[in-house]
Amino acid sequence: MLPVSLLAPVAPPDWTPSDWRRRVAAQQPDWPDLAALRRVRARLAGTAPLVRPHEILDLRRALSAAAHGEAFVVQLGDCAETFDTPTFAGIAARAGLLHTTARTVSQALGHPVIPIGRIAGQYAKPRSSPTEQVGDLVLPSFRGHLVNDPAPTPAARVPDAMRLLEGQAHARDVLALLRELAQSGMPLPGPGTSAGAPAVWTSHEALLLDYEEPLVRRDPVSGVVCLTSTHLPWIGARTCEPDGAHVRFLSGVANPVGLKVGPGTDPARLARLCARLDPDRQPGRLVLISRMGAARVRAALPPLVERVAALGHPVVWVCDPVHGNTYTSGSGHKTRHVDTVGAEISGFFAAVRAAGGSPGGIHLEAAPEDVTECVGGVAGVTEQDLPLRYETACDPRLNASQTAELAALTARLCADRP
Ligand code: PEP
Ligand code: CO
C-alpha cells in the first residue's frame, strides 16, 4: 500500500487556500451582496468536512492502480444535480446505475472498477454566455442551484450567496444517504469496504472557488491538506487556464484532481498543466478526462498521451464521450446521439492504445430514469420523442438503457485489449 508521504502532493511552497484570488477566476458569479458572501464563507469554514481525508487518500490509492492499467474508472451522473430534496430512492437509483455499469465493465476487464458519481456536489455550471433566451425574454444564465434559480424571471436569476450554504447541506444529505446505502451492502467492492464510507466515490466540477476554499482542511492525523467538499474535484474545459485561479487552487490539495482536456489543448499546454497539477509525478494524482468529440479524438489524442507519458506523469486517461458531441435538435433541444457517443469511446480506446497508453475509464452524463434527452440506442429514441421526458437541469443525459449499451461497448473494448 502506498504510504501517505507518496500520496500527498508537495503543494507549491507558497500555496495558500486563498491565493487563487491573485489569479484570473473564470466563470465566477457576479455576487450582488459581498457582505453576505463573506458571512457565508465564514459559516462554511466552521462546518464539519463532507468527505474524510482518509477516504480521499483511499481513492488516490485506487486511482494509482488505474494509472498502472490495473483498475478502470466508471464516473457518471447528472450534468447538474438540483436542490430538490434527495429521496433515498433517487440516490439509490443513481448509485445503482453506477454499480451496474461498473459491474458490466469489471466482468469483461478482470480488474477492479472504481465507481465515481457526479454526485453530492455537482450544483454549479459553467456557461458559454452570461445571458440566455427563454421564450421572449433575455435573462441572466442559470448557473446551477449553487448560484441562482432556473425560474424564468430576472429576480430568480440573481446570484444568492445563501445558496452556497444550502448546497453544502444538500450535499451532506446526499452523502448521508450514500453512507446508509453502503451499510445495506452494495454489490461491488468500492469505497464501501471501510467503515462509514459511502456507496460510491463522489466528484464534482470545482467551479465556485468561494464555495470550495472554506472547505479546505488540514487532516490532524496525517497533516495532509484536502478539499473536503468531494473526493475527486475536477477542473472544467472553461476554467483550465494553466495560470488561472482554478488550476492554482487545486494544485495545493492532496485530492486526486480531474482535468477536462478538450480539442483546444495542445501538447505544450497540457505539459504546463501537468507540471502545475502533478509536479511530483504521483500515480493517480491526475485524472485527464478527454472530451474531444467523436470526429477529433483519433487524431487529437495520441500526441497528448505521448507527451504526458514522455514527461513521466503517471496519469489516468478517462474518456468523456458526451461533452464534445452535443447538438441542438430541430425542436430546439440540446441532445446527443448514442452512436456518436459510442464512436468517441471506440476512438478513445484506439487513440490511447496507439500512443502506447492504457485506457483508464469512462465519464458519462446519465440518469437512472427513463428520460428522453439523448437520441438513438436500441429503444430507438428519436428527435420527435425528446419533449416526452426531457427533464435535465442542464445537459442531456443518457437513460438507463442507453447507458447499458455504452457499458457493453466499453466492456467489449476492454476485453479486446492487445
Ligand atoms: C460538464 O462536465 O458538465 C461540463 C460542463 O464539461 P466540460 O467542462 O468538459 O465542458
Ligand atoms: Co454537462
Side-chain angles (χ1 to χ4, degrees), residues 84-256:
D84 303 331
T85 313
T87 61
F88 192 66
I91 297 304
R94 277 158 175 73
L97 179 68
L98 184 44
H99 279 275
T100 305
T101 309
R103 195 164 46 240
T104 303
V105 177
S106 80
Q107 277 163 356
L109 191 63
H111 284 319
V113 169
I114 304 166
I116 307 177
R118 291 174 61 112
I119 200 163
Q122 178 56 16
Y123 307 119
K125 297 309 299 176
R127 300 310 302 256
S128 338
S129 163
T131 57
E132 65 191 350
Q133 178 109 25
V134 185
D136 294 339
L137 292 173
V138 176
L139 293 169
S141 294
F142 172 55
R143 290 178 176 273
H145 275 199
L146 206 50
V147 177
N148 56 7
D149 187 283
T153 68
R157 298 298 175 90
V158 176
D160 176 0
M162 288 303 285
R163 287 179 166 271
L164 302 181
L165 280 170
E166 206 185 331
Q168 197 221 18
H170 192 274
R172 196 182 294 284
D173 286 348
V174 173
L175 263 156
L177 294 174
L178 289 170
R179 293 186 197 282
E180 277 294 311
L181 204 54
Q183 301 305 305
S184 66
M186 293 299 287
L188 262 194
T193 48
S194 61
V200 303
W201 305 104
T202 63
S203 71
H204 67 250
E205 179 173 350
L207 182 70
L208 293 195
L209 298 179
D210 277 305
Y211 173 73
E212 305 292 346
E213 182 198 319
L215 304 180
V216 171
R217 302 292 156 78
R218 180 180 295 279
D219 178 30
V221 181
S222 60
V224 167
V225 174
C226 287
L227 176 60
T228 62
S229 65
T230 190
H231 299 113
L232 174 69
W234 81 80
I235 301 171
R238 290 168 192 78
T239 50
C240 63
E241 264 306 308
D243 295 323
H246 293 79
V247 170
R248 176 69 185 178
F249 178 67
L250 288 180
S251 71
V253 297
N255 303 58

